Amino acid sequence: MLDAVVPLAATSTNARLYDALIIGAGFAGMYQLHSLRDRLGLSAHVLEAGDGVGGTWYWNRYPGARCDSESHSYCYHFSDELVQGWEWSERYPSQPEILRYLNYAADKLDLKRDITFGARVVAARYDEAENLWHVQTEQGGHYAARYLITAVGCLSSANLPKIDGIADFQGKWYHTGEWPHEGVDFTGKRVGVIGTGSTGIQAIPVISAAAKHLTVFQRTANYSIPARNAPLTDDFKKYVRENFAEIRDVMRSTVNGHPWRIADRSVLDVSDEERNEIFEKAWERGGLRLRAEFRDVLTNEEANRIVSDFLKKKISQIVKDPAKAAILSDIDHGFATKRPPIDTGYFETYNRDNVDVVSLRAEAIERITATGVKTSKGEYPLDIIVFATGFDAMTGPLFNLNISGRGDMALRDVWREGPRSYLGLQVVGFPNLFTITGPGSPSVLTNMPVAIEQHVDWITRCIADMRKSGQTRIEAKPDAVDDWMVQVQEVANRTLFTKTLHSWYLGANVPGKPRVFMPYIGGMARYRRICDEVADKGYEGFALTR
Ligand code: NAP
């Protein structure tokens, strides 16, 4: 093992040397640390910018923050002991409960002693002569390792739109992804929320209940399905405890890692009455499962139009003011071709007297002034602005690390035209770098812990196999990357996802970002098979050297 504080000849600086460095202490980094340290016996260390574990759940503390995956599926599945030792309280876990859960897991696995908190990585450089990665933190730390594993999440680089005048604003403004730990008091305030994605849709009902007045600035109208969150019953908790192995099998063998299977029927195969009954039942049950009632919601335009119409009609039925209802239901894309939000009282919120919605399609924001937001049609005086404007998804968190590979090639430059990887795991020119849930893998199209565990297990097996055979370097081959990128685009083109051009899946929410469909949409189960086959065939598509 490499573990020690030793001088590195090439740099003549003292670096802490490990077998593996992991960046990020969320679901992914924690499990990767456990796998490498406790299963393989390696010296592994995590660098984490926050002062605690949690990753996305450490930073996203905005009002109403809650996971859209059901709690019994949004947790580690690799350990029966962890599963049996924890009890979720609600159907969907709230941000504080997930943070408690991740602390519980970190303590059970005794992970914190191998995590440096408050260590923000600002550079990672591969040294070819040493076959080592050198990592620098903002705080002046210098670390080196044979393997570098990014566990920085896909949605962790806040996207703050460049709207003129933000510096002039005399009130307070916040981005939901970097929410103050002490919270924000909205009492008696005039609040503006910009953005109606999953985050805005969760935050808006909660903010409206506290604020004097809330103005929602909506650029693209969105669907949302009621979550129907509720405390979990004792019966359900018992069912989960007793059937966890089966639930886990379902999650691992489905397209998107949720604990239910997609029905094998077409929207077009059933009568209008039957279909309506199915949709109504799914609407009443709540949650993302509605999408799984038919197999062709995301592949057949007519099928998608029917579901979309059903959901648009619901908005008009809930929202009493016809002018507000018209703005909210004027949706220009098919259901679920952008990530579908689920909510608790979202559309009902617009029936409150203290809530207005402004369509930015009808009146674009011109600037932020000292006292509020100015659109092409008027001024909205505000005390607080909340930017629920999302993230520079998938590539943003990796670029923030300033990674450079062989010959000092910057990842940012290599991916100038969009991300190119083999299996979303490795990049040509960046040996021994693994990107957990990187672009080109199913990642954001799944229930994330399932995708994370699959990647961590694969990386762990790969490193174990390399050590057994005495190999010290692994790098994706250019041909394998070319082939994989073709596959990623081909499967995307078979769906309706690529028809909605303004989704963050395509990078469209960040001005200047290349429009490339980033995640692999061929399904988690199929992806798992492909990765396993690659490993079984001696890491086909990778160059392994001593
Ligand atoms: P998002 O889906 O990207 O939504 C951002 C919103 O801000 C959109 O309505 C967008 O409008 C708007 N926006 C962006 N830039 C703007 C600008 N310059 N002017 C006006 N409006 C602007 O971001 P998010 O809601 O934070 O969600 C991101 C992802 O995080 C989700 O899709 C989901 O995967 C994940 N998430 C998960 C959960 C959960 O499980 N609980 C909760 C929240 C988020 P356009 O649509 O026109 O771009």
Side-chain angles (χ1 to χ4, degrees), residues 2 30 51 160 362 485 498:
L2 298 170
M30 284 171 47
D51 289 327
L160 185 69
M485 294 329 294
T498 46

Side-chain angles (χ1 to χ4, degrees), residues 225-239:
I225 298 167
R228 312 267 183 226
N229 187 38
L232 290 176
T233 61
D234 288 343
D235 280 352
F236 186 78
K237 290 177 191 172
K238 184 164 174 280
Y239 155 77

Side-chain angles (χ1 to χ4, degrees), residues 57 62 66-68 155 159 161 194-200 202 219-220 338-339 360 388-391 502 504 509:
W57 302 104
Y62 60 85
R66 191 179 283 285
C67 186
D68 293 344
L155 298 156
N159 172 39
I194 302 179
T196 52
S198 297
T199 302
Q202 287 186 336
R219 187 164 71 180
T220 306
K338 291 174 92 166
R339 158 71 153 74
L360 298 180
T389 44
F391 302 91
H502 51 68
W504 60 254
N509 61 328

Side-chain angles (χ1 to χ4, degrees), residues 278-434:
I278 292 167
F279 284 151
E280 286 293 349
K281 264 199 198 142
W283 177 266
E284 282 315 311
R285 188 180 51 220
L288 291 172
R289 198 162 168 172
L290 186 142
R291 196 177 40 175
E293 289 297 343
F294 295 96
R295 64 165 185 266
D296 50 358
V297 170
L298 284 161
T299 49
N300 180 306
E301 285 196 47
E302 178 59 4
N304 187 280
R305 188 194 57 73
I306 292 169
V307 190
S308 301
D309 284 350
F310 172 85
L311 294 170
K312 285 180 192 172
K313 205 162 144 203
K314 285 285 179 197
I315 303 172
S316 309
Q317 286 165 355
I318 297 169
V319 180
K320 305 266 184 291
D321 177 340
K324 287 182 187 175
I327 292 174
L328 292 161
S329 60
D330 185 17
I331 306 176
D332 65 357
H333 55 279
F335 167 64
T337 59
K338 291 174 92 166
R339 158 71 153 74
I342 64 173
D343 69 274
T344 298
Y346 175 63
F347 291 117
E348 290 81 351
T349 298
Y350 293 93
N351 294 332
R352 297 175 67 106
D353 292 336
N354 69 333
V355 178
D356 288 318
V357 56
V358 171
S359 167
L360 298 180
R361 295 277 165 97
E363 46 179 310
I365 295 179
E366 286 183 345
R367 62 178 294 114
I368 292 175
T369 65
T371 53
V373 168
K374 183 175 183 314
T375 69
S376 56
K377 286 197 182 160
E379 278 208 55
Y380 297 87
L382 300 169
D383 303 307
I384 297 175
I385 302 174
V386 174
F387 289 92
T389 44
F391 302 91
D392 181 355
M394 306 201 78
T395 50
L398 293 170
F399 290 162
N400 286 345
L401 302 175
N402 290 311
I403 302 175
S404 50
R406 270 191 287 112
D408 283 332
M409 269 187 311
L411 184 66
R412 199 181 272 280
D413 291 335
V414 175
W415 282 3
R416 195 174 290 285
E417 306 296 323
R420 294 180 58 76
S421 74
Y422 183 34
L423 301 170
L425 276 164
Q426 268 223 331
V427 186
V428 176
F430 297 76
N432 293 351
L433 169 71
F434 295 100

Side-chain angles (χ1 to χ4, degrees), residues 43-347:
S43 67
H45 195 77
V46 177
L47 299 171
E48 165 56 55
D51 289 327
V53 298
T56 195
W57 302 104
Y58 177 89
W59 302 104
N60 281 269
R61 297 173 187 239
Y62 60 85
R66 191 179 283 285
C67 186
D68 293 344
S69 293
E70 301 201 8
S71 53
H72 65 293
S73 69
Y74 197 75
C75 49
Y76 290 121
H77 311 115
F78 68 87
S79 153
D80 286 346
E81 196 193 337
L82 280 182
V83 170
Q84 299 299 341
W86 181 261
E87 201 167 79
W88 294 104
S89 66
E90 294 177 276
R91 179 172 173 188
Y92 304 93
S94 66
Q95 176 271 334
E97 193 169 19
I98 302 173
L99 212 49
R100 281 199 297 281
Y101 168 76
L102 286 169
N103 274 283
Y104 149 81
D107 292 338
K108 271 264 187 204
L109 301 171
D110 192 17
L111 298 178
K112 289 178 186 168
R113 67 183 158 91
D114 287 310
I115 303 174
T116 301
F117 293 106
R120 183 176 291 280
V121 171
V122 288
R125 182 181 61 81
Y126 177 69
D127 186 305
E128 192 155 19
E130 296 176 326
N131 188 25
L132 285 177
W133 279 92
H134 287 259
V135 175
Q136 231 107 31
T137 66
E138 197 173 53
Q139 292 70 21
H142 179 188
Y143 304 78
R146 168 110 331 131
Y147 299 102
L148 178 64
I149 302 163
T150 59
V152 287
C154 301
L155 298 156
S156 55
S157 174
N159 172 39
L160 185 69
K162 291 185 178 56
I163 301 175
D164 284 345
I166 198 163
D168 304 336
F169 185 56
Q170 298 293 299
K172 301 261 188 218
W173 64 265
Y174 308 93
H175 189 283
T176 48
E178 294 169 350
W179 202 255
H181 288 199
E182 64 279 11
V184 175
D185 186 4
F186 293 102
T187 317
K189 305 286 192 213
R190 296 161 305 172
V191 183
V193 173
I194 302 179
T196 52
S198 297
T199 302
I201 282 176
Q202 287 186 336
I204 284 163
V206 185
I207 295 175
S208 74
K212 181 171 157 204
H213 189 270
L214 173 62
T215 308
V216 176
F217 296 91
Q218 173 195 276
R219 187 164 71 180
T220 306
N222 216 340
Y223 302 93
S224 186
I225 298 167
R228 312 267 183 226
N229 187 38
L232 290 176
T233 61
D234 288 343
D235 280 352
F236 186 78
K237 290 177 191 172
K238 184 164 174 280
Y239 155 77
V240 172
R241 263 197 313 276
E242 290 176 359
N243 296 280
F244 197 74
E246 200 181 308
I247 295 169
R248 176 169 45 205
D249 285 349
V250 173
M251 288 192 290
R252 289 186 177 170
S253 58
T254 54
V255 167
N256 51 22
H258 286 290
W260 55 73
R261 297 199 188 280
I262 294 172
D264 189 19
R265 60 184 169 203
S266 163
V267 175
L268 309 174
D269 282 350
V270 291
S271 68
D272 290 354
E273 279 117 44
E274 198 184 333
R275 188 188 305 125
N276 213 41
E277 201 179 309
I278 292 167
F279 284 151
E280 286 293 349
K281 264 199 198 142
W283 177 266
E284 282 315 311
R285 188 180 51 220
L288 291 172
R289 198 162 168 172
L290 186 142
R291 196 177 40 175
E293 289 297 343
F294 295 96
R295 64 165 185 266
D296 50 358
V297 170
L298 284 161
T299 49
N300 180 306
E301 285 196 47
E302 178 59 4
N304 187 280
R305 188 194 57 73
I306 292 169
V307 190
S308 301
D309 284 350
F310 172 85
L311 294 170
K312 285 180 192 172
K313 205 162 144 203
K314 285 285 179 197
I315 303 172
S316 309
Q317 286 165 355
I318 297 169
V319 180
K320 305 266 184 291
D321 177 340
K324 287 182 187 175
I327 292 174
L328 292 161
S329 60
D330 185 17
I331 306 176
D332 65 357
H333 55 279
F335 167 64
T337 59
K338 291 174 92 166
R339 158 71 153 74
I342 64 173
D343 69 274
T344 298
Y346 175 63
F347 291 117

